[in-house]
Amino acid sequence: MISLTDTQSGHKRKFDARCPWFTLGDVCAHDKLGVLYKLLAGCLGSEIGMGLTGFGVFFLFFGMILFFDKALLAIGNVLFVAGLAFVIGLERTFRFFFQKHKMKATGFFLGGVFVVLIGWPLIGMIFEIYGFFLLFRGFFPVVIGFIRRVPVLGSLLNLPGIRSFVDKVGESNNMV
């Protein structure tokens, strides 16, 4: 709950920032911005983040399909990183990327983003993909376990050529 004091009448008003169903009435403008910020960060932050991350992945994929288009890849990178920050928060994003044992992976990933932004998309995407796999390799066993339970995709992962590769990736004991 957020407790705001009206500057004109001196009355206290309470708003629940987790629920968007409230009225701002005659609360001063500074307090309205505070309530709006709390609402966006608390209630809508993960939804906005998932949208930004989804658009980022879409633009990255579309940029690669269109022969490594610089503009689409740059937009995709910015949206992906911004979406990640919205989903898990700025502090946790910073802690995730800058852990001591992940500095090499972070260097490759963010270096690849920078190389794409300065105009060398193919080299940048190679760095980025390598850094991405180093950063998120602890999540791969969980993702593969989930995909194996999906009806159609699970049967695709059990095909002879794909099964050995998926089993090798799924055995990773290096959790995040």
Side-chain angles (χ1 to χ4, degrees), residues 142-155 157:
V142 176
V143 171
I144 288 173
F146 175 76
I147 292 174
R148 281 193 169 152
R149 285 185 244 127
V150 176
V152 175
L153 296 177
S155 61
L157 291 183

Side-chain angles (χ1 to χ4, degrees), residues 5-154:
T5 304
D6 188 356
T7 55
Q8 294 173 351
S9 66
H11 297 292
K12 285 199 170 207
R13 299 178 144 211
K14 292 184 180 180
F15 300 106
D16 188 358
R18 295 167 293 177
C19 181
W21 309 110
F22 62 88
T23 59
L24 292 176
D26 56 348
V27 178
C28 68
H30 181 268
D31 290 338
K32 286 181 185 178
L33 289 176
V35 170
L36 183 63
Y37 172 75
K38 295 277 188 189
L39 175 69
L40 287 175
C43 191
L44 300 175
S46 61
E47 287 88 358
I48 291 171
M50 291 302 292
L52 289 174
T53 305
F55 276 119
V57 169
F58 170 75
F59 278 109
L60 285 170
F61 179 72
F62 201 56
M64 284 192 272
I65 286 179
L66 292 176
F67 302 112
F68 293 94
D69 182 56
K70 289 185 270 191
L72 291 174
L73 292 175
I75 291 169
N77 283 326
V78 170
L79 289 175
F80 179 77
V81 173
L84 190 64
F86 262 94
V87 170
I88 64 174
L90 286 175
E91 182 183 344
R92 290 177 67 192
T93 302
F94 186 79
R95 279 190 285 153
F96 175 77
F97 278 107
F98 294 104
Q99 294 175 9
K100 193 170 193 164
H101 66 280
K102 292 185 180 180
M103 290 307 287
K104 176 182 165 186
T106 300
F108 273 103
F109 183 75
L110 295 179
V113 170
F114 178 73
V115 170
V116 167
L117 290 175
I118 63 171
W120 294 337
L122 185 61
I123 296 169
M125 286 306 294
I126 291 170
F127 286 165
E128 232 179 288
I129 290 170
Y130 180 66
F132 181 83
F133 282 117
L134 288 178
L135 276 171
F136 295 102
R137 68 179 163 197
F139 295 115
F140 291 153
V142 176
V143 171
I144 288 173
F146 175 76
I147 292 174
R148 281 193 169 152
R149 285 185 244 127
V150 176
V152 175
L153 296 177

